[in-house]
Amino acid sequence: MKLKFIIKKILYSYKSSSKTYVDYLRSIGVLCGDNINIFCPKDTHIDTNNPYLLEIGNSVNITGPVTILTHDYSTSVLNRIDHKIYGKSKKTVIGNNVFLGWGCTVLAGTIIEDNVIIGAGAVVSGKVEKNSVYAGNPARKIMSISEYRKKIICKQKEEAFNIYKNYRDKFGVVPDINIFHEYFYLFTNDYDKLTDRLKNKLSEENIMRETFENNVTEFKSYEDFIDYCNVRYSDK
């Protein structure tokens, strides 16, 4: 693993990992919070022409390839016509608990408030209000976080069953509990019975043990959930 990291460091410099990228941004003057995750650092472009014009808050997930800008060089066309120099640089702010979807672009001057989801491929400009989901080109608000939560909750059991079904169709066996690393909230709140992978998942999401243990599950246990899946699978 150490050799692999050294090779990546040589090939991609500060873009070799999420940590090295964030450390670099801090070193040049970008105001960065904690728990910033850049999932595809080598494919992500964060404008460093004006590092003092960029702020990234806490718990920001940046999928890739994402582009974040603080300037717009389209003025170069006017520069050549008028034989003078025009500028177009604006402060860009990404708040706390923000998800930037795959391939989205955040244009200069954008202010993204807290608790926001930006959809894949969106082109974002202006003010993005807190507790919202935005998508499209240009990006528009499509729902509130509360509406998104209801939508997600309604789909959890069906999505978990589809994982079971597709896994069993492909491998011919009932999937291991770790396969449900995004759905184990459905059937357990016993921390002591979690596998290391599931404990790590809680840690990655900064979910406290007490909070997890207070969760009300839809199924009595993993076995109960599998029984439910077995019945549905046999009836297909």
Side-chain angles (χ1 to χ4, degrees):
M1 290 295 292
K2 187 175 181 181
L3 178 60
K4 183 178 179 180
F5 176 78
I6 292 172
I7 294 172
K8 287 180 68 176
K9 182 72 173 177
I10 294 171
L11 290 175
Y12 305 120
S13 184
Y14 65 86
K15 289 189 175 186
S16 59
S17 71
S18 177
K19 183 181 185 305
T20 56
Y21 204 158
V22 174
D23 286 346
Y24 171 75
L25 293 175
R26 288 194 178 107
S27 73
I28 62 173
V30 176
L31 184 59
C32 295
D34 298 323
N35 194 31
I36 298 171
N37 297 305
I38 304 175
F39 289 88
C40 299
K42 71 181 182 65
D43 299 317
T44 294
H45 176 72
I46 298 176
D47 188 350
T48 56
N49 285 287
N50 307 294
Y52 43 86
L53 291 181
L54 178 59
E55 294 183 10
I56 304 175
N58 300 313
S59 301
V60 175
N61 285 331
I62 302 172
T63 60
V66 166
T67 299
I68 301 172
L69 300 173
T70 60
H71 83 289
D72 180 350
Y73 196 51
S74 62
T75 53
S76 62
V77 174
L78 293 180
N79 293 347
R80 297 185 188 101
I81 293 173
D82 294 349
H83 302 290
K84 57 192 295 188
I85 296 175
Y86 298 103
K88 195 177 181 183
S89 296
K90 301 177 182 179
K91 186 173 184 178
T92 300
V93 178
I94 298 171
N96 302 310
N97 194 26
V98 171
F99 174 87
L100 299 180
W102 187 277
C104 76
T105 299
V106 180
L107 297 178
T110 299
I111 307 296
I112 300 177
E113 297 187 333
D114 297 346
N115 306 319
V116 167
I117 295 169
I118 303 296
V123 177
V124 192
S125 64
K127 184 177 180 179
V128 175
E129 66 181 75
K130 63 184 178 181
N131 302 316
S132 300
V133 179
Y134 278 68
N137 180 7
R140 295 283 186 266
K141 180 179 177 179
I142 59 173
M143 68 181 72
S144 69
I145 283 291
S146 295
E147 291 168 328
Y148 182 72
R149 179 188 294 111
K150 291 177 183 177
K151 183 178 179 181
I152 292 298
I153 289 173
C154 288
K155 294 183 176 180
Q156 293 298 284
K157 185 165 67 172
E158 190 63 24
E159 289 179 2
F161 171 72
N162 282 329
I163 287 176
Y164 166 97
K165 177 183 178 298
N166 284 280
Y167 188 96
R168 189 165 172 183
D169 284 346
K170 185 173 182 62
F171 299 108
V173 295
V174 171
D176 178 83
I177 190 172
N178 287 310
I179 299 300
F180 300 98
H181 59 94
E182 291 183 320
Y183 297 93
F184 63 97
Y185 257 70
L186 287 169
F187 51 73
T188 184
N189 56 11
D190 189 338
Y191 184 86
D192 291 328
K193 291 184 179 180
L194 294 182
T195 64
D196 288 342
R197 182 176 185 184
L198 300 186
K199 288 179 180 178
N200 287 337
K201 183 66 176 178
L202 291 178
S203 178
E204 289 169 6
E205 300 295 339
N206 296 312
I207 298 172
M208 302 296 292
R209 174 172 176 167
E210 182 180 359
T211 303
F212 170 70
E213 291 178 335
N214 287 332
N215 172 57
V216 178
T217 62
E218 184 160 352
F219 296 93
K220 296 177 182 177
S221 63
Y222 171 66
E223 291 74 21
D224 185 36
F225 166 70
I226 292 299
D227 286 344
Y228 159 80
C229 291
N230 287 338
V231 171
R232 284 194 61 182
Y233 189 82
S234 63
D235 290 341
K236 69 175 183 174

